[in-house]
Amino acid sequence: DAELSATNFVEILLSGIEAESNISVVAQLGVQLHSAIEVYANPKNRETLQVKAAKKIYEILGRATAGGDFQLQFTRIFASLATKDQATELKDLLSGKLTGLVLDLDMRWLLTNSLVERGALGQSDLDAELAKDSSLAAQLSHALGLAALPTVDAKNIAWHKIVKEEMSSAFREKTLQGFMRTSQRELLAQWISPYFDNLLEMWGKKSYDISSSYVELCYPSLQISQSLVDKTNSWLANEGKDAAAGLKRLLGEARDSLVRALAAQAKDN
């Protein structure tokens, strides 16, 4: 771990991703590119890398064969990387201005929720999109979008659903995904303490599926700091010293991922 700086990794990846001919590899590289920037890059380099990567991917998208799989995949990668200043580009994609781009249900919701996350669309836009198609897939994407709204009120509502309300596994997963958005790192910092405060209750009173998803997916992994590592260790040694082994194992794994991220960030100094 941390043998190559995130900055160097991003530069190497961007220099070669357009030449990759395997669509599955391109998809995986897109995931790795996002993680390198949001998790492993030194915070002082993050914004610069995001701007550079989003610009490059958008350029590649413009050159991709119209109507092809690579056009779809580079659209997905761009939607995950786009900066708030690129809302116009996202809206152009959503409005069909890119020749050949297939705007099926999944793509429309991907772009809509990308705009919602960045504050460029709101709840009325989510509701309007759902009114066009109220299928289960659309309802799930709508749930993700509601949780992804970049406001304290929206996050409070999503948090209440996660810790207090009964939901199907599918709706819970989408709400969790919408709640934890990388572009909302600062907004989400205020849910560090509530996460630890609810650990024992969520584990003790919920099914394993619900409790384990809470431990893993609500862990404030975007708040990459030694103080969070210390807080996690403190909880395990004190409040959680008699907690179930499964809970402590999952929490320990989340902490270990954080430690690896800190090492990678130090390498990217």
Side-chain angles (χ1 to χ4, degrees):
D1 289 350
E3 294 182 1
L4 180 69
S5 74
T7 295
N8 287 341
F9 176 82
V10 168
E11 291 174 348
I12 293 169
L13 189 154
L14 290 176
S15 70
I17 191 171
E18 188 173 9
E20 178 54 57
S21 60
N22 187 313
I23 191 69
S24 297
V25 174
V26 170
Q28 185 59 37
L29 288 174
V31 173
Q32 292 175 351
L33 178 60
H34 186 264
S35 296
I37 295 170
E38 295 293 348
V39 179
Y40 301 118
N42 191 293
K44 69 179 184 181
N45 299 329
R46 188 179 295 134
E47 183 178 357
T48 299
L49 287 174
Q50 182 188 6
V51 170
K52 180 177 182 178
K55 179 181 178 181
K56 178 67 173 181
I57 294 299
Y58 190 69
E59 291 172 354
I60 295 172
L61 172 59
R63 294 191 290 267
T65 301
D69 290 341
F70 287 94
Q71 186 184 57
L72 287 171
Q73 192 56 59
F74 281 113
T75 299
R76 293 189 182 98
I77 296 172
F78 177 69
S80 74
L81 292 172
T83 67
K84 291 180 179 179
D85 291 336
Q86 291 173 312
T88 298
E89 286 87 339
L90 287 168
K91 288 181 177 179
D92 285 347
L93 293 171
L94 182 57
S95 64
K97 291 185 178 180
L98 180 61
T99 301
L101 181 62
V102 178
L103 290 168
D104 59 11
L105 181 72
D106 289 343
M107 183 57 72
R108 286 195 63 82
W109 274 108
L110 175 72
L111 293 169
T112 296
N113 283 336
S114 179
L115 284 159
V116 166
E117 175 186 347
R118 289 157 177 79
L121 293 180
Q123 183 170 347
S124 61
D125 300 292
L126 290 169
D127 295 343
E129 193 65 32
L130 183 62
K132 298 174 185 177
D133 183 332
S134 59
S135 63
L136 177 59
Q139 292 178 47
L140 290 169
S141 293
H142 182 263
L144 188 155
L146 290 176
L149 287 163
T151 67
V152 173
D153 286 346
K155 295 302 181 186
N156 276 328
I157 291 171
W159 185 259
H160 186 271
K161 290 178 179 178
I162 291 167
V163 301
K164 298 296 184 181
E165 296 183 13
E166 296 296 329
M167 292 186 287
S168 69
S169 296
F171 276 96
R172 177 173 292 277
E173 179 182 358
K174 292 300 181 181
T175 301
L176 285 165
Q177 290 175 0
F179 179 83
M180 194 69 71
R181 308 307 290 177
T182 54
S183 68
Q184 299 166 358
R185 191 185 310 267
E186 293 182 3
L187 174 63
L188 292 169
Q190 60 193 284
W191 278 273
I192 295 176
S193 292
Y195 169 80
F196 286 98
D197 292 343
N198 282 281
L199 271 173
L200 291 176
E201 181 175 357
M202 289 296 293
W203 190 271
K205 296 183 179 180
K206 305 291 184 180
S207 68
Y208 180 78
D209 177 59
I210 293 174
S211 59
S212 61
S213 67
Y214 176 82
V215 176
E216 294 178 294
L217 301 181
C218 285
Y219 186 75
S221 56
L222 296 176
Q223 313 305 320
I224 304 168
S225 65
Q226 185 59 47
S227 64
L228 180 54
V229 173
D230 295 341
K231 186 174 183 66
T232 305
N233 287 334
S234 177
W235 190 92
L236 286 167
N238 295 286
E239 297 97 320
K241 66 180 184 300
D242 297 321
L247 189 165
K248 291 193 286 187
R249 176 180 59 80
L250 292 175
L251 188 58
E253 290 173 354
R255 175 206 56 205
D256 293 345
S257 294
L258 199 66
V259 171
R260 288 193 292 272
L262 282 170
Q265 289 186 359
K267 178 71 174 181
D268 194 47
N269 202 343

